[in-house]
Amino acid sequence: MYLERYDKRWRKKPFFLLICLLLILLCSLIWYTLKHKRWDASMAFLCDMQVGRKNFTNTNQVDLLRDVFLQRMQYEQPQTMKPPRMDVLMITPWFAPIVWNGTYNIDILNAQFHQRNAHIGLTVFAVKKYTMFVQTFIDSAEQFFMVGHKVTYYVFTDRVSDIPALTLRDGRKLVTLEVPSYQRWQDVSMRRMEMIRDQSRQKFIHEVDYLVCVDVDMKFTDDVGVEILSDVFGTLHPGFYGTARQHFTYERRPESTAYIPSDEGDFYYAGGYFGGTVEEVYKLTSYCHDAIIKDKENHLEARWQDESYLNKYFVYHKPTKILSPEYLWDNNYGVPGVLKRRRFVAVPKNHNAVRN
Ligand code: UD2
């Protein structure tokens, strides 16, 4: 009797083993499917960022790739053996273009950026008396800045009621962002990094593709278009574009986070004009703000405030495009022959009067 039962149990054993194997197989299948889905979703998010939509989706990543193509265009053929400019450097040793008049075809670039439906944010700070520059700044931007493209002006100010109501072209709007005002002008200038960083994370990433961050005491006097856009760009300072690196006014105290040794550095970049994709501007401003705070804790402030920290960033995070001084000029420097256009020029001001 006992032997008979024992025999029966043994006969059932292969059946149990088979069930167990099937269960293991089923579990592995479920695990694999879930893991694959998670990966797919995160890739879809990354692709979404590239095509300008910012929602999580479950779409396969390749379905999100959008073909950017040009219509038939007629223009002068580029000449391999005949560079468009012989008098200036047009490309850096790390293959970033330097944007000078005559080196690009704006029709090709406009067509590409229109296809991508690019939306550009222009950030500017008008704190305390600097609100007096807003009207001229916006009026001139309406005439010359990214004409034909979607633009949002972000005006950071402590005096919201001082910002004039302006009529803007179609596809353009102005957003006022209220910010605290710091007593020292140096802090007003430097804290821009922190505020751009914060708004990049909270707001800009959902609203625009590129950011252009400039000073407000300026005026557009000629076209500034999509030729300036790239992942991350800086601008050659009008006072130093022909200067040897030892003479750049970088921060030279080794104790400062902005320190750059005299045998390093490519160019001297202006604090008042940088930009790129929202993601890259977030990284740049985040780095600069952290460096500013670290110095502050050690009772240090770099020689040219935010400009010094920006220059430090660009030594080790090379910009993917560089704007020539056409994009940031001060008429106090005269008008050298190399400068075919002056696109954005400083409005003369009495520093003491506006800062105090
Ligand atoms: C240079 C840089 C600037 C910054 C500064 C640091 C250029 C053209 N400018 O400008 O970007 O790096 O050096 O020392 O490269 N602001 C206010 N309210 C104030 C003070 C400043 O809103 O009370 C804002 C405003 O947007 C202004 C900017 O900060 O345009 C820079 O200040 P600035 O123009 O007085 O500094 P400046 O001319 O020395």
Side-chain angles (χ1 to χ4, degrees):
M1 185 66 181
Y2 173 78
L3 267 178
E4 206 175 292
R5 264 173 53 199
Y6 183 80
D7 240 26
K8 256 186 197 169
R9 220 189 284 161
W10 265 108
R11 254 183 272 135
K12 276 184 187 168
K13 203 170 180 184
F15 176 72
F16 282 128
L17 273 172
L18 195 71
I19 294 285
C20 285
L21 265 171
L22 276 173
L23 271 173
I24 291 169
L25 203 72
L26 196 71
C27 287
S28 315
L29 209 71
I30 291 170
W31 174 81
Y32 178 78
T33 316
L34 286 177
K35 191 175 170 241
H36 190 69
K37 256 198 181 140
R38 268 206 306 274
W39 179 82
D40 226 24
S42 61
M43 282 311 287
F45 176 64
L46 285 177
C47 287
D48 259 9
M49 301 275 283
Q50 279 173 12
V51 295
R53 283 176 285 125
K54 300 187 170 73
N55 303 322
F56 277 90
T57 66
N58 267 338
T59 324
N60 188 306
Q61 52 168 327
V62 283
D63 295 336
L64 288 163
L65 297 175
R66 215 198 281 161
D67 184 24
V68 175
F69 63 97
L70 299 172
Q71 303 291 341
R72 175 179 150 76
M73 293 174 89
Q74 281 184 302
Y75 52 84
E76 217 178 298
Q77 185 197 349
Q79 301 289 311
T80 317
M81 305 311 288
K82 196 169 161 258
R85 295 275 300 250
M86 300 291 282
D87 55 342
V88 289
L89 183 69
M90 288 188 293
I91 195 147
T92 66
W94 58 94
F95 286 143
I98 306 179
V99 190
W100 294 92
N101 185 55
T103 60
Y104 59 90
N105 180 327
I106 193 63
D107 298 329
I108 301 176
L109 292 166
N110 271 333
Q112 288 175 332
F113 280 89
H114 277 307
Q115 280 258 327
R116 288 185 216 157
N117 198 21
H119 191 161
I120 302 114
L122 180 62
T123 73
V124 84
F125 284 72
V127 174
K128 296 190 269 190
K129 290 184 188 168
Y130 279 66
T131 51
M132 70 168 77
F133 297 107
V134 173
Q135 172 109 38
T136 307
F137 178 87
I138 301 285
D139 282 348
S140 66
E142 280 294 284
Q143 206 183 339
F144 294 113
F145 183 76
M146 301 285 169
V147 176
H149 293 273
K150 283 196 289 178
V151 172
T152 300
Y153 301 108
Y154 293 108
V155 180
F156 294 73
T157 185
D158 59 332
R159 298 181 182 180
V160 176
S161 57
D162 280 9
I163 306 303
L166 299 164
T167 313
L168 306 175
R169 286 175 188 250
D170 278 355
R172 301 165 84 98
K173 63 178 174 174
L174 190 152
V175 175
T176 308
L177 300 165
E178 193 166 6
V179 291
S181 73
Y182 289 88
Q183 208 186 344
R184 296 171 64 243
W185 66 264
Q186 293 91 335
D187 288 320
V188 175
S189 191
M190 286 193 294
R191 287 286 173 173
R192 292 184 291 174
M193 292 294 183
E194 179 185 23
M195 296 179 210
I196 294 172
R197 177 200 67 178
D198 293 347
Q199 291 297 335
S200 293
R201 192 173 45 200
Q202 291 159 23
K203 189 172 174 69
F204 301 154
I205 191 77
H206 306 294
E207 299 182 359
V208 294
D209 303 299
Y210 292 93
L211 287 170
V212 179
C213 308
V214 297
D215 278 5
V216 74
D217 49 332
M218 304 288 300
K219 186 180 165 172
F220 292 91
T221 49
D222 204 338
D223 298 333
V224 173
V226 293
E227 74 277 7
I228 69 169
L229 301 178
S230 188
D231 283 359
V232 58
F233 63 86
T235 306
L236 300 183
H237 192 290
F240 297 94
Y241 62 90
T243 307
R245 54 156 71 117
Q246 313 83 271
H247 304 301
F248 289 159
T249 53
Y250 288 155
E251 173 56 58
R252 299 298 191 187
R253 290 169 294 171
E255 313 84 80
S256 169
T257 55
Y259 168 65
I260 302 172
S262 59
D263 58 354
E264 280 192 85
D266 308 289
F267 303 106
Y268 190 81
Y269 301 95
Y273 206 137
F274 62 87
T277 59
V278 180
E279 294 87 340
E280 286 298 325
V281 169
Y282 173 77
K283 286 195 241 167
L284 179 156
T285 49
S286 195
Y287 170 96
C288 290
H289 177 63
D290 289 350
I292 289 167
I293 294 302
K294 201 161 178 212
D295 268 2
K296 229 179 219 327
E297 285 165 4
N298 294 320
H299 311 288
L300 286 166
E301 181 173 287
R303 186 170 174 187
W304 283 100
Q305 293 80 34
D306 40 292
E307 187 167 270
S308 304
Y309 299 96
L310 178 77
N311 271 281
K312 176 67 178 272
Y313 185 77
F314 279 149
V315 175
Y316 305 113
H317 308 80
K318 305 285 190 211
T320 54
K321 195 174 262 187
I322 294 176
L323 310 185
S324 71
E326 291 171 15
Y327 291 87
L328 180 54
W329 193 251
D330 188 325
N331 286 330
N332 286 323
Y333 294 113
V335 189
V338 78
L339 212 69
K340 308 294 179 214
R341 297 167 87 168
R342 283 170 286 162
R343 302 166 190 265
F344 189 52
V345 294
V347 172
K349 68 175 191 274
N350 176 335
H351 275 87
N352 277 336
V354 287
R355 281 172 173 172
N356 300 310

